[in-house]
Amino acid sequence: QVQLVESGGGLVQPGGSLSLSCGASGSTLDAYAIGWFRQAPGKGREELVCISSSDSPWYYSDAARGRFTVFRDNAKKTVYLHLNSLKPEDTATYSCAFKYTGVGGGCPKATDFEAWGQGTQVTVSS
């Protein structure tokens, strides 16, 4: 069973950048789509972007498109999310999730992911 652990969160000024990591244990990631989500205080979970097992990104959210970049390194069993041009409204707990799709699969619906990591906090403030 895959287990995911996020890291890389922290405090950043508006306009700054941050790189988050999603590391896997228990299995390789070759046959899994990985999605990134966030949840701000008092709000529901928001789906952001997915990277498929065939290494294609799929953006669920307009908030992520153009500012957030996702890529994977299967050899390191890690998926990365680069956050650019950060705004105070990007403050949230960011988490990753997996969905088994087989090798060469696409991204699933945001509601079809199987399990999430515990998340890493990103705070955008001056």
Side-chain angles (χ1 to χ4, degrees):
Q1 178 73 345
V2 176
Q3 292 184 321
L4 302 177
V5 177
E6 302 89 342
S7 61
L11 174 64
V12 61
Q13 292 187 340
S17 299
L18 208 58
S19 291
L20 308 182
S21 299
C22 172
S25 62
S27 174
T28 61
L29 289 181
D30 307 60
Y32 291 85
I34 302 295
W36 280 97
F37 300 76
R38 68 183 180 186
Q39 187 164 14
K43 296 187 177 181
R45 185 163 57 203
E46 176 187 12
E47 56 273 12
L48 297 173
V49 62
C50 163
I51 187 157
S52 70
S53 63
S54 58
D55 205 18
S56 295
W58 179 264
Y59 287 88
Y60 298 112
S61 168
D62 288 340
R65 189 177 292 112
R67 294 192 300 127
F68 299 171
T69 304
V70 62
F71 65 98
R72 63 195 298 156
D73 186 336
N74 286 343
K76 295 183 178 180
K77 297 198 294 184
T78 302
V79 172
Y80 304 92
L81 182 67
H82 286 178
L83 311 175
N84 299 303
S85 303
L86 284 164
K87 308 172 183 179
E89 51 264 43
D90 293 318
T91 295
T93 298
Y94 286 70
S95 58
C96 55
F98 68 85
K99 169 67 176 176
Y100 179 82
T101 62
V103 174
C107 281
K109 295 186 297 183
T111 52
D112 285 351
F113 283 90
E114 298 174 38
W116 280 255
Q118 293 194 339
T120 185
Q121 177 67 35
V122 172
T123 302
V124 184
S125 175
S126 55

